[in-house]
Amino acid sequence: MQREQVQQYIEELQDEICQGLIDVGEQPYREDIWQRDQGGGGRTRIWEDGQIFEKAGVAMSVVYGELPAAARSQASPLAKARGDQFFATGMSLVLHPHNPFIPTVHANYRYFEIGDGDKNEPPKDIHDWWFGGGADLTPNYVDDQNFKHFHQTLQDACLRSESGDYDRFKDTCDTYFYLPHRGETRGIGGIFFEHIQDPHFEAGLELIQNCGRAFLPSYLPMVEQHRDRIFSKQEREWQLLRRGRYVEFNLIYDRGTTFGLKSNGRTESILMSLPKIAHWGYDRQPEKGTPEADMLATLKQPQSWTK
Amino acid sequence: MQREQVQQYIEELQDEICQGLIDVGEQPYREDIWQRDQGGGGRTRIWEDGQIFEKAGVAMSVVYGELPAAARSQASPLAKARGDQFFATGMSLVLHPHNPFIPTVHANYRYFEIGDGDKNEPPKDIHDWWFGGGADLTPNYVDDQNFKHFHQTLQDACLRSESGDYDRFKDTCDTYFYLPHRGETRGIGGIFFEHIQDPHFEAGLELIQNCGRAFLPSYLPMVEQHRDRIFSKQEREWQLLRRGRYVEFNLIYDRGTTFGLKSNGRTESILMSLPKIAHWGYDRQPEKGTPEADMLATLKQPQSWTK
């Protein structure tokens, strides 16, 4: 029953988040329900040119079947011994707002299992299943109060969870969302974790439940605070240049994206994360002392936001 | 003297192409002259919001010094025996026009050598030096006459060159500029070659001279034909979606880009290839029977343009 338990939560989380966005004034989403030939499918909800979001997606999927060859070669011997079947379910979202003062946000929470699952219980071997996920914020302008609130809300969710470890998850996030060729983090981080198995299944589920439910309270205050703020053509241009960086990270470094595309994953689902519009210029540097330069400086070195 | 000979040609080629663009009405370029700490440097010429081009760059560089570790591990034993010094020079261009009916174009011609070059002659070991390069066209709309002219001009340049082999270079180009996750080629191809050593140095130099000098005649007629053509908002949007594909190819698959960025290359030079603006949508498909659908169909399967 464990698979069904996670899947039910993942569906609920998608519903809760989509409803929360609509409740603050976003228009109804467009839904794309798709099947996967080899087993499973998904429910992708999309906004393009919405009230608040220029482009946004909140997706869930449940996929299962034969483990792809690339993943099998990386599995442990014990996992291999369980057979070549897998099961994975997850919720993933990326929201790109119109207003440059509202940060872009990304979150995903997921569960992965190797084995055929016939026994309706999680496999005993710890290599065979795990929870993963996280949430991170990509602002265009520095707002210390916003950043503290986002991190504090996630830290509180971790503190309420037996498997939660905010400090470790924050470090993993800062390390992961980094563009070495720019010497910049993608944003101001958040949490990121993988391979959560200890101490038991229920604790892993509790972790993604607490963190998942923390999403709306961590993010919506920024939407409400900045959505009607006036912005200049220059501020819009800065946002679009930063979206270029977002594209660079996702297409060059993000493991889910690069692995997904190269292993015949569903292209539209994988690239749902990309913004509607991204700009590039040659050697564009913000002038010293500007809010744009301040943002860039903040991305040069991860900071503690909850201390 | 061979290195100097290639370098002189590369500088001339950059000058010739930049002058050719200005002669058809483009404004003067912005020049960025840069040095490489470990040896060498370059001369990057940039247009942003020009008369014809929304974003364009024509760059040349001469770099030398210690062979980067990543490249050394791939070198042949004989090459390794020559030492850990390298020399490379090349010209690279990407032109993104304003008008959606003028194709984006890319070309680069280059020379690479392992060894310290003190003897002022190319190394005798065939693993130690090579010529490479090519040119390819990325249109938004099908124009058979334009595509034939582009390929024919390159084929003629190959025919005039002892080392030229248009059929092979065209196949290599079609295979290389391919986006598996889209099932599309990046554009309608051209020529692409690497590791050209046979039968001798002079033939390799002749090949990149003939192909390089074919660039302006292969491309400028399209600029002159379409530059004043009226286009709709929908045609502009299609162009920007196609530029999203260009970004996808360059950041995910292009070896020069991915290897360059991951081996501490000069970021601004490497990403000079990106367009000023790129768009993405969720599952956007052109309607059947439209010129956009016609273009997409043309990218599904490489075609012969000179037969």
Side-chain angles (χ1 to χ4, degrees), chain B residues 226-256:
Chain B
H226 302 297
R227 56 181 296 179
D228 296 322
R229 207 166 147 186
I230 303 293
F231 57 89
S232 67
K233 207 178 148 188
Q234 287 71 29
E235 287 157 344
R236 170 69 169 161
E237 174 62 14
W238 172 247
Q239 177 195 46
L240 296 174
L241 288 169
R242 298 311 305 170
R243 289 201 169 148
R245 298 288 210 276
Y246 205 86
V247 171
E248 289 177 22
F249 179 83
N250 286 19
L251 296 185
I252 303 173
Y253 302 108
D254 184 58
R255 290 197 295 264

Side-chain angles (χ1 to χ4, degrees), chain A residues 30 32 46 48 181-182 248 252 261 266-268 271 274-284, chain B residues 30 32 46 48 181-182 248 252 261 266-268 271 274-284:
Chain A
R30 177 158 71 92
D32 184 16
I46 294 290
E48 292 188 85
H181 68 282
R182 298 290 190 181
E248 288 177 21
I252 302 172
L261 292 179
R266 187 170 181 269
T267 296
E268 290 306 323
L271 297 184
L274 300 181
K276 185 187 172 196
I277 309 178
H279 281 196
W280 282 270
Y282 181 80
D283 203 18
R284 296 267 186 95
Chain B
R30 177 158 71 92
D32 183 16
I46 294 291
E48 292 187 85
H181 69 282
R182 299 289 190 182
E248 289 177 22
I252 303 173
L261 293 178
R266 186 170 182 271
T267 297
E268 290 306 323
L271 297 184
L274 299 182
K276 184 187 173 196
I277 309 179
H279 281 198
W280 283 270
Y282 181 80
D283 203 18
R284 297 266 186 96

Side-chain angles (χ1 to χ4, degrees), chain A residues 135-138 150-151 154 170 173-174 177 185 187-191 305:
Chain A
D136 66 283
L137 199 68
T138 308
F150 184 77
H151 274 271
L154 293 171
K170 179 200 183 292
C173 189
D174 287 333
F177 291 103
T185 52
I188 58 98
I191 56 171
W305 296 105

Side-chain angles (χ1 to χ4, degrees), chain A residues 59-75:
Chain A
M60 71 82 52
S61 65
V62 188
V63 298
Y64 47 82
E66 202 169 307
L67 196 65
R72 191 156 59 234
S73 69
Q74 290 172 15

Side-chain angles (χ1 to χ4, degrees), chain A residues 208-270:
Chain A
I208 68 164
Q209 283 175 333
N210 287 340
C211 291
R213 288 170 186 154
F215 174 75
L216 289 173
S218 75
Y219 183 65
L220 288 188
M222 294 175 233
V223 173
E224 308 210 65
Q225 185 183 342
H226 302 298
R227 57 182 295 181
D228 296 323
R229 205 164 149 189
I230 303 292
F231 57 89
S232 68
K233 206 178 148 189
Q234 288 71 29
E235 287 157 345
R236 170 69 170 162
E237 175 61 15
W238 173 246
Q239 176 196 47
L240 296 175
L241 288 170
R242 299 310 306 169
R243 291 202 168 146
R245 298 287 210 275
Y246 205 86
V247 171
E248 288 177 21
F249 178 84
N250 286 19
L251 296 185
I252 302 172
Y253 302 108
D254 185 58
R255 291 198 295 265
T257 305
T258 55
F259 179 81
L261 292 179
K262 288 173 183 176
S263 62
N264 201 24
R266 187 170 181 269
T267 296
E268 290 306 323
S269 294
I270 297 165

